[in-house]
């Protein structure tokens, strides 16, 4: 293979923008939306679930892709700015501006506004009764204690809590350790998550709890952090590129094997919960490293750079925040409307109508959120500008 073919996209400024990563973010949110949209289907977990429902049910893996992307991007930003003035202030301020306004606006709507508009709604009431878990970004621990998402609504907030906890701790780690030590820490976190799940599941801890506890689901964030370090070392990046095809094949076959052993690909299945998150992190990490390379995955990169995928990535945060409440409201409303107006349509047709309507409404709300709210908040980032100074890789 020629030297040109091995060339990696150079490490860029901390505020650089990669279209292909927007596209990967778009893949992640579409997977998650597919998963949540098919959950109301009457056969989703039953014996009559066909292969289409089974594949769509695996859309929960989109969260693990989000984790890999976050680990890669956040670690890269921190590495490039850790010797600058206002390192902690700028990073945390920019993260808070991106995440907190829409997060807390969503909580105001779900915990304060909607319960007054829809009194007696059990789902909203359950979230209101345990609201402090959400206000304090610790919902993942609530769902770990409850061993799942059945008792309290707002289950999709768990991953936001994990990421926020990562954002608060990781800048300190990156600041105080060398690059080589950071790599060892990241690999250690990956091993800790896997070994922790193996030990805990054999001691009777519920797989649902393993899914939401921070220290048992760090695989994607840890792999993303490793990739951010290797990406900035040309020698390590070239070596890793040669391993990417084998990593993709091995992790994909491993995931298929888990599906076969468990008989499904639910995140709460024993072997998927024990080993699957590590394999997913490896698979998505290999995909990410592949698309960041200039000469590889040309067709995939072109797809990820398409306007639709980049737009999905651009609006992914708002889509994540609104699509579950939208689906929860629309599913009964659409089927009640079909009955009310005597439209005798097949259940599957009615369900497709619901899914398309849920996506359309979620999209419109997300576009409105971006243009009316988010981008104006994000304009405040100009007061917290990164001015990174390149660091030579630690030997």
């Amino acid at each position: 293979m020629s030297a040109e073919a091995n060339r990696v996209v150079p490490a860029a400024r901390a505020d650089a923008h990669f279209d292909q990563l927007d596209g990967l973010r778009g893949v992640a949110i579409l997977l998650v939306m597919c998963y949540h949209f098919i959950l109301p289907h009457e056969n989703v977990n039953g014996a009559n679930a066909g292969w289409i429902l089974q594949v769509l049910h695996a859309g929960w893996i989109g969260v693990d892709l989000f984790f890999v992307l976050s680990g890669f991007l956040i670690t890269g930003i921190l590495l490039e700015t850790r010797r600058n003035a206002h390192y902690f202030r700028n990073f945390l301020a920019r993260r808070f501006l991106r995440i907190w306004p829409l997060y807390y606006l969503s909580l105001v709507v779900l915990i304060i506004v909607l319960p007054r508009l829809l009194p007696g709604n059990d789902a909203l009431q359950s979230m209101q009764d345990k609201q402090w878990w959400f206000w304090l970004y610790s919902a993942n621990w609530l769902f770990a204690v409850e061993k799942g998402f059945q008792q309290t609504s707002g289950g999709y907030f768990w991953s936001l809590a994990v990421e926020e906890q990562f954002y608060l701790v990781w800048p300190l780690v990156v600041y105080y350790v060398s690059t080589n030590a950071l790599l060892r820490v990241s690999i250690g976190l990956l091993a800790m998550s896997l070994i922790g799940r193996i030990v805990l599941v054999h001691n009777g801890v519920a797989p649902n709890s393993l899914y939401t506890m921070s220290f048992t689901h760090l695989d994607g964030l840890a792999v993303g952090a490793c990739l951010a370090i290797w990406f900035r070392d040309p020698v390590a990046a070239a070596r890793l590129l040669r391993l990417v095809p084998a990593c993709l094949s091995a992790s994909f076959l491993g995931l298929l094997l888990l599906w076969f052993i468990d008989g499904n690909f639910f995140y709460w299945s024993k072997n998927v919960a024990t080993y699957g998150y590590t394999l997913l992190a490896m698979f998505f990490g290999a995909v990410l490293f592949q698309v960041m390379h200039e000469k590889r995955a040309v067709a995939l990169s072109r797809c990820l750079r398409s306007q639709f995928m980049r737009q999905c990535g651009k609006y992914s945060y708002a889509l994540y925040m609104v699509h579950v409440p939208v689906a929860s409201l629309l599913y009964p409303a659409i089927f009640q409307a079909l009955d009310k107006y005597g439209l005798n349509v097949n259940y599957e047709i009615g369900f497709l109508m619901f899914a398309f309507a849920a996506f359309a409404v979620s999209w419109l709300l997300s576009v409105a959120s971006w243009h009316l709210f988010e981008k104006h908040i994000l304009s405040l980032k100009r007061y917290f500008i990164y001015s990174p100074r390149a660091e030579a890789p630690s030997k």
Side-chain angles (χ1 to χ4, degrees), residues 35 41 47 67 91 149 154 161 184 190 197 227 284 314 316 346 351 354-355 381 388:
Y35 169 71
H41 195 285
F67 283 168
F91 173 78
F149 304 108
R184 291 193 292 270
L190 176 63
R197 291 195 303 273
L227 293 178
F284 286 134
K314 178 179 179 179
S316 60
N346 178 274
F351 192 85
F354 149 72
K381 283 186 176 184

Side-chain angles (χ1 to χ4, degrees), residues 61-351:
I61 67 176
V63 169
D64 291 82
L65 177 52
F66 274 128
F67 283 168
V68 173
L69 284 165
S70 292
F72 178 75
L73 292 169
I74 295 307
T75 304
I77 290 171
L78 294 172
L79 283 171
E80 293 170 13
T81 61
R82 63 180 170 179
R83 297 296 174 253
N84 294 355
H86 310 303
Y87 162 80
F88 291 104
R89 185 201 69 180
N90 286 351
F91 173 78
L92 293 174
R94 291 172 70 90
R95 283 292 86 200
F96 295 161
L97 286 171
R98 181 68 191 101
I99 296 168
W100 282 15
L102 187 57
Y103 178 88
Y104 285 112
L105 176 62
S106 299
L107 290 186
V108 168
V109 171
L110 292 172
I111 293 175
I112 298 175
V113 177
L114 285 182
R116 287 166 170 74
L117 298 177
L118 302 171
N121 185 293
D122 291 339
L124 293 171
Q125 186 62 49
S126 70
M127 195 171 174
Q128 190 178 55
D129 290 344
K130 300 163 186 176
Q131 59 183 284
W132 288 109
W133 293 91
F134 297 93
W135 293 113
L136 297 176
Y137 265 109
S138 55
N140 63 310
W141 294 105
L142 167 66
F143 298 118
V145 169
E146 294 183 343
K147 302 179 181 179
F149 304 108
Q150 303 305 312
Q151 299 180 47
T152 307
S153 62
Y156 59 101
F157 281 90
W158 81 269
S159 64
L160 301 175
V162 171
E163 292 213 10
E164 186 66 14
Q165 292 156 28
F166 174 72
Y167 296 152
L168 292 175
V169 174
W170 201 237
L172 291 167
V173 178
V174 176
Y175 186 78
Y176 284 109
V177 305
S178 68
T179 302
N180 282 343
L182 183 65
L183 180 60
R184 291 193 292 270
V185 169
S186 300
I187 294 172
L189 290 176
L190 176 63
M192 180 191 75
S193 292
L194 175 59
I195 294 170
R197 291 195 303 273
I198 293 172
V199 171
L200 291 173
V201 78
H202 284 289
N203 282 276
V205 175
N208 277 328
S209 297
L210 300 178
Y211 185 63
T212 63
M213 290 190 294
S214 302
F215 67 90
T216 55
H217 207 148
L218 288 173
D219 311 64
L221 293 165
V223 166
C226 290
L227 293 178
I229 296 167
W230 287 324
F231 183 68
R232 287 159 174 81
D233 183 338
V235 175
R239 290 174 182 167
L240 186 60
L241 279 170
R242 291 194 290 270
L243 298 175
V244 162
C247 184
L248 280 170
S249 301
S251 55
F252 183 71
L253 290 174
L255 291 167
L256 288 180
L257 179 62
L258 294 181
W259 196 327
F260 175 77
I261 293 172
D262 282 339
N264 56 61
F265 202 69
F266 302 153
Y267 61 79
W268 61 83
S269 298
K270 180 179 178 180
N271 289 291
V272 172
T274 306
Y275 307 104
Y277 311 150
T278 301
L279 291 172
L280 282 170
M282 293 170 58
F283 179 80
F284 286 134
V287 170
L288 186 154
F289 212 76
Q290 187 92 321
V291 300
M292 289 299 289
H293 188 264
E294 288 183 340
K295 300 297 182 181
R296 295 192 176 195
V298 175
L300 177 58
S301 294
R302 185 178 296 118
C303 175
L304 295 175
R305 292 176 186 271
S306 67
Q307 184 177 3
F308 174 70
M309 293 307 302
R310 287 188 289 111
Q311 291 293 300
C312 286
K314 178 179 179 179
Y315 303 131
S316 60
Y317 184 41
L319 284 168
Y320 191 86
M321 298 303 295
V322 304
H323 78 280
V324 173
V326 165
S328 299
L329 293 172
L330 281 184
Y331 180 77
I334 284 178
F335 280 94
Q336 288 168 10
L338 291 174
D339 289 340
K340 178 178 179 180
Y341 294 104
L343 300 176
N344 188 23
V345 301
N346 178 274
Y347 175 79
E348 302 297 341
I349 299 299
F351 192 85

